[in-house]
C-alpha cells in the first residue's frame, strides 16, 4: 500500500556509536587534526574546491564524526598543491595530514612505500 | 557602587533540565565540586561530559542580549580540569561562538584541543532528556556539517551566564542612578568613563556595569579608587 510517504534513515550523527578508529589513528600520526577550528580558509583557497567539491575542513570534520567514506570521496579531489598549508591560521600541516590519510587508505591494499613516492621525477 | 552580578538561574531554560535531571549541573556547581569534592550529582567515573555554552546569555528570549564574556574561557578551563581528573572521559563543548578575547585565552583553546582532546561542536543544544542509564541524552545541530548530533552523557554542565543584580533597580533608585537597557548600571560613558556614573560623586566599579573578567574588575576598582581620590582632593 502506498501511503505517499516513506521512511528515510536519520542523518543524525550518534556520537556514542560512530567509529573513530581513523580519527584516533590520525591523532597519532598527524596530531594537528585536533586543532582545526573550522574557519574554512583551506577550502576558500583550495584550487580543486570549485571543481570537485573538495573541502579539507569538511574532510577533517567528517573524520571527526566517523564518516570515513565521505572523507575519502571528498579527498580524492585533492591535488596536493599545498595552498591550504600556507593559509591555515592554526599552522596545521595539512600536507602531512592528507599524505597520512592516503597512506592509511592505501595500506588496505599494500604496504605503502613512501620513499618511492618521493623519488618520482616530475 | 559595586553591586556585582548574579548568575542566570539555569532552571529557567527548561529544555536543559537543570533541577529536573540529576546529571545536569551548572558551572558554579562544578567549581564548587572542584573546591570541596562535595556534590552527589557528579558520578565517580564519568565516561562522557558535556558543556553547554551561552546558557541565558546572548538569549533575547531569556531577557539577556549581552554576551556573558567569561563563560567561554571558563568552560574550556573546566573542560580541561575534567579531562585531567578523568582522562578516559570524552569531553564535548557545545558552543555558538568561542569568544576568547583575553590574554592567553586562545592558547587555552588550542591546548584544550591539542593536548586534552576536548571536542568542540558548533551548535546550540536544543534539548536534553534523561536516558535509562540515568545519564542524559543531548541533541544539537553540528552546524559546521549541517547535521544533527546526538550524544549520551554522564554529566552535563550548563555555563550559566552573568546577568545583572536584580537589586540594581531599587539600589539605583535610592541614589537616583539609571539602569541600562540590559539591567546593569549605566556609566557616564561606556568608553571613556566606565567607572563614573552620570551623577557627580557616585562611582561604579566591576560587574555592576556589565559582565567583567577578574582582571577587568580589579583594574576598574583601582581606576575608581583613583577617580574618587581625585574627586575628593578637588583635582577635577
Amino acid at each position: 500500500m502506498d501511503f505517499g510517504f516513506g521512511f528515510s534513515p536519520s542523518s543524525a550523527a550518534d556520537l556514542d556509536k560512530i567509529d573513530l578508529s581513523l580519527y584516533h589513528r590520525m591523532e597519532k600520526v598527524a596530531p594537528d587534526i585536533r586543532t582545526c577550528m573550522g574557519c574554512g580558509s583551506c577550502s576558500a583557497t583550495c584550487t580543486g574546491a570549485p571543481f570537485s567539491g573538495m573541502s579539507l575542513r569538511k574532510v577533517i570534520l567528517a573524520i571527526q564524526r566517523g564518516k570515513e567514506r565521505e572523507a575519502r570521496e571528498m579527498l580524492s579531489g585533492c591535488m596536493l598543491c599545498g595552498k591550504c598549508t600556507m593559509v591555515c591560521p592554526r599552522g596545521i600541516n595539512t600536507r602531512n595530514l592528507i599524505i597520512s590519510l592516503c597512506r592509511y587508505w592505501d595500506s588496505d591494499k599494500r604496504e605503502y612505500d613512501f620513499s618511492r613516492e618521493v623519488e618520482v621525477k616530475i | 557602587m559595586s553591586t556585582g552580578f548574579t548568575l542566570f538561574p539555569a532552571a529557567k531554560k527548561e529544555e536543559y533540565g537543570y533541577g529536573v535531571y540529576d546529571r545536569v549541573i551548572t558551572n558554579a556547581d562544578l567549581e564548587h565540586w572542584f573546591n570541596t569534592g562535595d556534590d552527589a550529582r557528579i558520578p565517580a567515573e564519568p565516561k562522557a561530559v558535556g558543556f553547554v555554552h551561552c546558557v541565558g546569555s546572548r538569549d533575547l528570549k531569556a531577557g539577556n542580549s549581552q554576551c556573558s564574556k567569561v563563560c567561554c574561557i571558563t568552560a574550556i578551563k573546566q573542560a580541561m580540569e575534567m579531562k585531567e581528573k578523568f582522562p578516559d572521559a570524552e569531553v564535548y563543548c557545545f558552543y555558538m561562538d568561542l569568544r576568547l578575547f583575553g590574554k592567553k585565552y586562545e592558547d587555552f583553546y588550542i591546548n584544550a584541543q591539542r593536548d586534552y582532546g576536548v571536542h568542540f561542536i558548533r551548535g546550540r543544544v536544543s534539548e536534553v532528556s534523561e536516558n535509562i542509564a540515568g545519564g542524559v541524552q543531548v541533541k544539537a545541530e553540528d552546524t559546521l556539517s549541517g547535521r544533527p548530533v546526538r550524544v549520551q552523557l554522564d554529566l552535563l554542565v550548563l555555563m550559566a551566564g552573568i546577568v545583572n543584580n536584580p537589586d540594581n533597580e531599587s539600589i539605583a533608585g535610592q541614589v537616583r542612578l539609571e539602569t541600562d537597557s540590559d539591567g546593569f548600571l549605566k556609566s557616564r560613558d561606556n568608553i571613556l568613563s566606565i567607572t563614573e556614573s552620570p551623577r557627580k560623586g557616585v562611582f561604579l566599579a566591576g560587574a555592576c556595569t556589565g559582565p567583567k573578567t577578574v582582571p577587568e574588575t580589579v583594574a576598574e576598582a583601582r581606576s575608581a579608587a583613583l577617580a574618587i581620590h581625585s574627586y575628593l582632593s578637588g583635582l577635577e
Side-chain angles (χ1 to χ4, degrees):
Chain A
M1 195 181 289
D2 183 16
F3 290 103
F5 60 88
F7 290 107
S8 55
S10 167
S11 67
D14 204 327
L15 297 183
D16 308 294
K17 296 190 183 125
I18 55 176
D19 176 18
L20 286 180
S21 51
L22 174 58
Y23 179 62
H24 294 319
R25 158 100 183 226
M26 285 303 125
E27 279 181 313
K28 289 201 183 74
V29 291
D32 292 350
I33 195 173
R34 281 179 161 187
T35 58
C36 175
M37 55 180 179
C39 70
S41 302
C42 48
S43 316
T45 193
C46 181
T47 316
F51 308 103
S52 64
M54 159 75 194
S55 164
L56 191 62
R57 165 185 87 74
K58 287 186 186 167
V59 169
I60 292 176
L61 194 67
I63 294 167
Q64 288 173 343
R65 300 284 177 270
K67 298 193 181 294
E68 185 174 339
R69 208 187 57 189
E70 199 176 292
R72 194 171 179 168
E73 275 168 17
M74 214 183 282
L75 202 62
S76 65
C78 173
M79 299 186 286
L80 275 180
C81 69
K83 273 155 80 182
C84 47
T85 308
M86 291 165 74
V87 294
C88 178
R90 280 288 173 86
I92 295 176
N93 188 342
T94 53
R95 192 185 154 82
N96 174 47
L97 178 66
I98 294 166
I99 293 284
S100 304
L101 281 167
C102 294
R103 209 188 292 172
Y104 176 80
W105 285 321
D106 232 56
S107 66
D108 292 346
K109 288 167 271 169
R110 61 191 157 85
E111 200 55 45
Y112 195 74
D113 186 2
F114 192 60
S115 58
R116 197 178 53 112
E117 184 84 348
V118 180
E119 281 169 14
V120 171
K121 299 267 188 320
I122 299 164
Chain B
M1 303 274 285
S2 49
T3 52
F5 66 93
T6 50
L7 273 188
F8 177 78
K12 267 193 182 175
K13 296 290 291 178
E14 285 178 5
E15 62 269 38
Y16 297 152
Y18 182 67
V20 181
Y21 307 135
D22 282 346
R23 295 291 173 81
V24 179
I25 64 171
T26 65
N27 42 2
D29 296 335
L30 186 63
E31 207 58 43
H32 179 259
W33 179 74
F34 283 145
N35 293 328
T36 62
D38 174 30
D39 197 324
R41 290 170 295 184
I42 295 168
E45 285 294 329
K47 289 274 175 295
V49 180
F51 287 85
V52 184
H53 293 232
C54 303
V55 175
S57 342
R58 302 180 69 195
D59 189 337
L60 275 178
K61 250 189 184 164
N64 303 303
S65 58
Q66 80 277 3
C67 165
S68 173
K69 216 171 185 182
V70 297
C71 330
C72 280
I73 187 65
T74 309
I76 288 173
K77 184 219 99 173
Q78 292 187 335
M80 291 199 289
E81 242 172 307
M82 286 308 263
K83 223 28 192 164
E84 265 173 24
K85 282 188 190 296
F86 309 109
D88 296 330
E90 297 294 341
V91 177
Y92 302 93
C93 283
F94 296 90
Y95 67 95
M96 297 205 281
D97 285 306
L98 285 171
R99 298 185 158 182
L100 300 162
F101 55 90
K103 191 175 163 68
K104 299 272 182 188
Y105 285 10
E106 192 69 21
D107 295 9
F108 258 82
Y109 174 29
I110 299 173
N111 277 357
Q113 285 185 311
R114 190 186 50 210
D115 305 330
Y116 290 83
V118 175
H119 306 290
F120 289 89
I121 298 171
R122 185 173 179 277
R124 201 177 166 89
V125 169
S126 66
E127 187 187 331
V128 179
S129 50
E130 204 162 38
N131 61 20
I132 304 167
V136 285
Q137 173 179 264
V138 165
K139 281 184 184 171
E141 197 207 344
D142 177 13
T143 58
L144 292 177
S145 67
R147 289 203 186 97
V149 289
R150 244 193 330 251
V151 65
Q152 315 289 327
L153 301 172
D154 298 321
L155 185 69
L156 185 69
V157 186
L158 307 180
M159 305 309 294
I162 289 180
V163 296
N164 62 288
N165 184 340
D167 297 333
N168 272 355
E169 197 81 37
S170 67
I171 296 171
Q174 289 170 32
V175 279
R176 281 190 286 141
L177 285 181
E178 268 180 82
T179 52
D180 218 332
S181 56
D182 55 9
F184 290 93
L185 295 178
K186 207 170 188 171
S187 296
R188 189 152 68 85
D189 186 283
N190 280 334
I191 295 168
L192 294 174
S193 331
I194 297 172
T195 56
E196 285 163 40
S197 76
R199 259 171 74 82
K200 260 201 160 344
V202 181
F203 296 84
L204 310 164
C208 63
T209 54
K212 300 273 154 70
T213 62
V214 173
E216 284 169 344
T217 306
V218 172
E220 277 190 18
R222 285 185 176 148
S223 160
L226 209 58
I228 292 166
H229 177 74
S230 304
Y231 176 74
L232 293 177
S233 318
L235 293 175
E236 266 187 293

